[in-house]
PDB file of all heavy atoms in Angstrom:
ATOM      1  N   LEU A1108      20.540  58.725   7.966  1.00 98.00           N
ATOM      2  CA  LEU A1108      19.863  59.384   6.843  1.00 98.00           C
ATOM      3  C   LEU A1108      19.763  58.388   5.702  1.00 98.00           C
ATOM      4  O   LEU A1108      20.779  57.896   5.200  1.00 98.00           O
ATOM      5  CB  LEU A1108      20.661  60.618   6.377  1.00 98.00           C
ATOM      6  CG  LEU A1108      20.050  61.324   5.164  1.00 98.00           C
ATOM      7  CD1 LEU A1108      18.712  61.975   5.522  1.00 98.00           C
ATOM      8  CD2 LEU A1108      21.010  62.392   4.610  1.00 98.00           C
ATOM      9  N   ALA A1236      23.777  63.429  10.572  1.00 97.00           N
ATOM     10  CA  ALA A1236      23.684  61.959  10.527  1.00 97.00           C
ATOM     11  C   ALA A1236      24.976  61.308  10.996  1.00 97.00           C
ATOM     12  O   ALA A1236      26.062  61.866  10.815  1.00 97.00           O
ATOM     13  CB  ALA A1236      23.372  61.513   9.103  1.00 97.00           C
ATOM     14  N   GLU A1237      24.837  60.124  11.579  1.00 98.00           N
ATOM     15  CA  GLU A1237      26.027  59.326  11.888  1.00 98.00           C
ATOM     16  C   GLU A1237      26.252  58.269  10.803  1.00 98.00           C
ATOM     17  O   GLU A1237      27.370  57.840  10.565  1.00 98.00           O
ATOM     18  CB  GLU A1237      25.871  58.661  13.253  1.00 98.00           C
ATOM     19  CG  GLU A1237      25.943  59.680  14.386  1.00 98.00           C
ATOM     20  CD  GLU A1237      25.229  59.213  15.632  1.00 98.00           C
ATOM     21  OE1 GLU A1237      23.998  58.996  15.572  1.00 98.00           O
ATOM     22  OE2 GLU A1237      25.895  59.045  16.642  1.00 98.00           O
ATOM     23  N   ILE A1238      25.158  57.859  10.183  1.00 98.00           N
ATOM     24  CA  ILE A1238      25.227  56.913   9.066  1.00 98.00           C
ATOM     25  C   ILE A1238      24.400  57.488   7.920  1.00 98.00           C
ATOM     26  O   ILE A1238      23.272  57.954   8.131  1.00 98.00           O
ATOM     27  CB  ILE A1238      24.598  55.542   9.455  1.00 98.00           C
ATOM     28  CG1 ILE A1238      25.365  54.869  10.596  1.00 98.00           C
ATOM     29  CG2 ILE A1238      24.474  54.627   8.235  1.00 98.00           C
ATOM     30  CD1 ILE A1238      26.715  54.275  10.220  1.00 98.00           C
ATOM     31  N   VAL A1239      24.938  57.436   6.725  1.00 98.00           N
ATOM     32  CA  VAL A1239      24.140  57.767   5.537  1.00 98.00           C
ATOM     33  C   VAL A1239      23.978  56.488   4.725  1.00 98.00           C
ATOM     34  O   VAL A1239      24.969  55.826   4.391  1.00 98.00           O
ATOM     35  CB  VAL A1239      24.815  58.848   4.670  1.00 98.00           C
ATOM     36  CG1 VAL A1239      24.008  59.086   3.409  1.00 98.00           C
ATOM     37  CG2 VAL A1239      24.924  60.141   5.452  1.00 98.00           C
ATOM     38  N   HIS A1240      22.735  56.136   4.450  1.00 98.00           N
ATOM     39  CA  HIS A1240      22.436  54.896   3.726  1.00 98.00           C
ATOM     40  C   HIS A1240      21.798  55.283   2.385  1.00 98.00           C
ATOM     41  O   HIS A1240      20.658  55.736   2.335  1.00 98.00           O
ATOM     42  CB  HIS A1240      21.475  54.048   4.570  1.00 98.00           C
ATOM     43  CG  HIS A1240      21.280  52.673   4.036  1.00 98.00           C
ATOM     44  ND1 HIS A1240      20.802  51.634   4.797  1.00 98.00           N
ATOM     45  CD2 HIS A1240      21.503  52.145   2.805  1.00 98.00           C
ATOM     46  CE1 HIS A1240      20.744  50.534   4.062  1.00 98.00           C
ATOM     47  NE2 HIS A1240      21.150  50.835   2.845  1.00 98.00           N
ATOM     48  N   LEU A1253      30.178  63.555  -0.090  1.00 98.00           N
ATOM     49  CA  LEU A1253      30.591  63.607   1.318  1.00 98.00           C
ATOM     50  C   LEU A1253      32.105  63.641   1.439  1.00 98.00           C
ATOM     51  O   LEU A1253      32.649  64.318   2.308  1.00 98.00           O
ATOM     52  CB  LEU A1253      30.049  62.387   2.072  1.00 98.00           C
ATOM     53  CG  LEU A1253      28.674  62.564   2.718  1.00 98.00           C
ATOM     54  CD1 LEU A1253      28.158  61.227   3.236  1.00 98.00           C
ATOM     55  CD2 LEU A1253      28.745  63.574   3.858  1.00 98.00           C
ATOM     56  N   LYS A1260      32.413  63.678   9.518  1.00 95.00           N
ATOM     57  CA  LYS A1260      31.563  63.094   8.478  1.00 95.00           C
ATOM     58  C   LYS A1260      30.952  61.781   8.933  1.00 95.00           C
ATOM     59  O   LYS A1260      31.587  61.027   9.673  1.00 95.00           O
ATOM     60  CB  LYS A1260      32.388  62.821   7.230  1.00 95.00           C
ATOM     61  CG  LYS A1260      32.798  64.082   6.529  1.00 95.00           C
ATOM     62  CD  LYS A1260      33.526  63.745   5.274  1.00 95.00           C
ATOM     63  CE  LYS A1260      34.822  64.512   5.214  1.00 95.00           C
ATOM     64  NZ  LYS A1260      35.565  64.228   4.009  1.00 95.00           N
ATOM     65  N   PRO A1261      29.738  61.495   8.461  1.00 98.00           N
ATOM     66  CA  PRO A1261      29.122  60.217   8.800  1.00 98.00           C
ATOM     67  C   PRO A1261      29.745  59.074   7.999  1.00 98.00           C
ATOM     68  O   PRO A1261      30.410  59.310   6.990  1.00 98.00           O
ATOM     69  CB  PRO A1261      27.671  60.416   8.376  1.00 98.00           C
ATOM     70  CG  PRO A1261      27.725  61.457   7.314  1.00 98.00           C
ATOM     71  CD  PRO A1261      28.899  62.329   7.596  1.00 98.00           C
ATOM     72  N   LYS A1262      29.525  57.848   8.430  1.00 98.00           N
ATOM     73  CA  LYS A1262      29.917  56.669   7.638  1.00 98.00           C
ATOM     74  C   LYS A1262      28.819  56.408   6.604  1.00 98.00           C
ATOM     75  O   LYS A1262      27.661  56.801   6.792  1.00 98.00           O
ATOM     76  CB  LYS A1262      30.078  55.455   8.544  1.00 98.00           C
ATOM     77  CG  LYS A1262      31.136  55.642   9.607  1.00 98.00           C
ATOM     78  CD  LYS A1262      32.524  55.548   9.018  1.00 98.00           C
ATOM     79  CE  LYS A1262      33.539  55.612  10.139  1.00 98.00           C
ATOM     80  NZ  LYS A1262      34.873  55.680   9.781  1.00 98.00           N
ATOM     81  N   THR A1263      29.219  55.694   5.551  1.00 98.00           N
ATOM     82  CA  THR A1263      28.258  55.543   4.444  1.00 98.00           C
ATOM     83  C   THR A1263      28.040  54.084   4.044  1.00 98.00           C
ATOM     84  O   THR A1263      28.980  53.283   3.998  1.00 98.00           O
ATOM     85  CB  THR A1263      28.793  56.298   3.207  1.00 98.00           C
ATOM     86  OG1 THR A1263      30.155  55.921   3.017  1.00 98.00           O
ATOM     87  CG2 THR A1263      28.713  57.790   3.384  1.00 98.00           C
ATOM     88  N   VAL A1264      26.780  53.779   3.767  1.00 98.00           N
ATOM     89  CA  VAL A1264      26.400  52.461   3.243  1.00 98.00           C
ATOM     90  C   VAL A1264      25.726  52.697   1.897  1.00 98.00           C
ATOM     91  O   VAL A1264      24.899  53.609   1.771  1.00 98.00           O
ATOM     92  CB  VAL A1264      25.393  51.746   4.181  1.00 98.00           C
ATOM     93  CG1 VAL A1264      24.965  50.407   3.590  1.00 98.00           C
ATOM     94  CG2 VAL A1264      25.985  51.555   5.572  1.00 98.00           C
ATOM     95  N   SER A1312      31.841  54.481  -0.755  1.00 98.00           N
ATOM     96  CA  SER A1312      31.121  54.175   0.490  1.00 98.00           C
ATOM     97  C   SER A1312      31.963  53.294   1.402  1.00 98.00           C
ATOM     98  O   SER A1312      32.831  52.552   0.949  1.00 98.00           O
ATOM     99  CB  SER A1312      29.796  53.474   0.163  1.00 98.00           C
ATOM    100  OG  SER A1312      29.017  54.324  -0.639  1.00 98.00           O
ATOM    101  N   ASP A1313      31.655  53.350   2.705  1.00 98.00           N
ATOM    102  CA  ASP A1313      32.378  52.509   3.664  1.00 98.00           C
ATOM    103  C   ASP A1313      31.918  51.059   3.579  1.00 98.00           C
ATOM    104  O   ASP A1313      32.686  50.148   3.839  1.00 98.00           O
ATOM    105  CB  ASP A1313      32.160  53.033   5.091  1.00 98.00           C
ATOM    106  CG  ASP A1313      32.745  54.425   5.255  1.00 98.00           C
ATOM    107  OD1 ASP A1313      33.953  54.580   5.004  1.00 98.00           O
ATOM    108  OD2 ASP A1313      31.996  55.360   5.599  1.00 98.00           O
ATOM    109  N   ALA A1314      30.660  50.855   3.258  1.00 98.00           N
ATOM    110  CA  ALA A1314      30.144  49.488   3.106  1.00 98.00           C
ATOM    111  C   ALA A1314      29.202  49.454   1.917  1.00 98.00           C
ATOM    112  O   ALA A1314      28.508  50.435   1.630  1.00 98.00           O
ATOM    113  CB  ALA A1314      29.401  49.060   4.367  1.00 98.00           C
ATOM    114  N   TYR A1578      25.761  48.998  10.599  1.00 98.00           N
ATOM    115  CA  TYR A1578      25.949  50.411  10.954  1.00 98.00           C
ATOM    116  C   TYR A1578      26.919  50.518  12.132  1.00 98.00           C
ATOM    117  O   TYR A1578      27.817  51.356  12.142  1.00 98.00           O
ATOM    118  CB  TYR A1578      24.622  51.071  11.360  1.00 98.00           C
ATOM    119  CG  TYR A1578      23.556  51.177  10.293  1.00 98.00           C
ATOM    120  CD1 TYR A1578      22.221  51.445  10.645  1.00 98.00           C
ATOM    121  CD2 TYR A1578      23.843  51.035   8.937  1.00 98.00           C
ATOM    122  CE1 TYR A1578      21.220  51.560   9.697  1.00 98.00           C
ATOM    123  CE2 TYR A1578      22.847  51.147   7.982  1.00 98.00           C
ATOM    124  CZ  TYR A1578      21.531  51.406   8.361  1.00 98.00           C
ATOM    125  OH  TYR A1578      20.534  51.510   7.420  1.00 98.00           O
ATOM    126  N   ARG A1580      29.134  48.358  13.113  1.00 97.00           N
ATOM    127  CA  ARG A1580      30.476  47.913  12.743  1.00 97.00           C
ATOM    128  C   ARG A1580      31.247  49.041  12.031  1.00 97.00           C
ATOM    129  O   ARG A1580      32.378  49.343  12.381  1.00 97.00           O
ATOM    130  CB  ARG A1580      30.369  46.683  11.832  1.00 97.00           C
ATOM    131  CG  ARG A1580      31.574  45.791  11.873  1.00 97.00           C
ATOM    132  CD  ARG A1580      31.301  44.390  11.376  1.00 97.00           C
ATOM    133  NE  ARG A1580      30.735  44.314  10.043  1.00 97.00           N
ATOM    134  CZ  ARG A1580      29.552  43.770   9.760  1.00 97.00           C
ATOM    135  NH1 ARG A1580      28.813  43.259  10.721  1.00 97.00           N
ATOM    136  NH2 ARG A1580      29.112  43.733   8.522  1.00 97.00           N
ATOM    137  N   ILE A1581      30.610  49.681  11.052  1.00 98.00           N
ATOM    138  CA  ILE A1581      31.365  50.711  10.309  1.00 98.00           C
ATOM    139  C   ILE A1581      31.536  51.975  11.160  1.00 98.00           C
ATOM    140  O   ILE A1581      32.535  52.663  11.032  1.00 98.00           O
ATOM    141  CB  ILE A1581      30.770  51.045   8.915  1.00 98.00           C
ATOM    142  CG1 ILE A1581      29.326  51.488   9.007  1.00 98.00           C
ATOM    143  CG2 ILE A1581      30.926  49.875   7.966  1.00 98.00           C
ATOM    144  CD1 ILE A1581      28.794  52.016   7.679  1.00 98.00           C
ATOM    145  N   ALA A1582      30.584  52.239  12.037  1.00 96.00           N
ATOM    146  CA  ALA A1582      30.720  53.431  12.893  1.00 96.00           C
ATOM    147  C   ALA A1582      31.901  53.262  13.839  1.00 96.00           C
ATOM    148  O   ALA A1582      32.557  54.231  14.201  1.00 96.00           O
ATOM    149  CB  ALA A1582      29.443  53.662  13.683  1.00 96.00           C
ATOM    150  N   ALA A1583      32.165  52.015  14.234  1.00 94.00           N
ATOM    151  CA  ALA A1583      33.238  51.761  15.200  1.00 94.00           C
ATOM    152  C   ALA A1583      34.617  51.815  14.550  1.00 94.00           C
ATOM    153  O   ALA A1583      35.629  51.873  15.230  1.00 94.00           O
ATOM    154  CB  ALA A1583      33.033  50.394  15.848  1.00 94.00           C
ATOM    155  N   LYS A1584      34.649  51.790  13.204  1.00 88.00           N
ATOM    156  CA  LYS A1584      35.960  51.753  12.513  1.00 88.00           C
ATOM    157  C   LYS A1584      36.665  53.094  12.540  1.00 88.00           C
ATOM    158  O   LYS A1584      36.030  54.128  12.348  1.00 88.00           O
ATOM    159  CB  LYS A1584      35.746  51.344  11.054  1.00 88.00           C
ATOM    160  CG  LYS A1584      35.834  49.841  10.902  1.00 88.00           C
ATOM    161  CD  LYS A1584      35.929  49.472   9.431  1.00 88.00           C
ATOM    162  CE  LYS A1584      35.871  47.948   9.299  1.00 88.00           C
ATOM    163  NZ  LYS A1584      35.526  47.518   7.969  1.00 88.00           N
TER     164      LYS A1584
END
Side-chain angles (χ1 to χ4, degrees):
L1108 177 67
E1237 290 155 298
I1238 297 286
V1239 176
H1240 190 160
L1253 270 171
K1260 290 184 230 180
K1262 300 285 185 187
T1263 49
V1264 178
S1312 300
D1313 296 303
Y1578 296 164
R1580 206 160 55 240
I1581 57 171
K1584 269 193 186 161

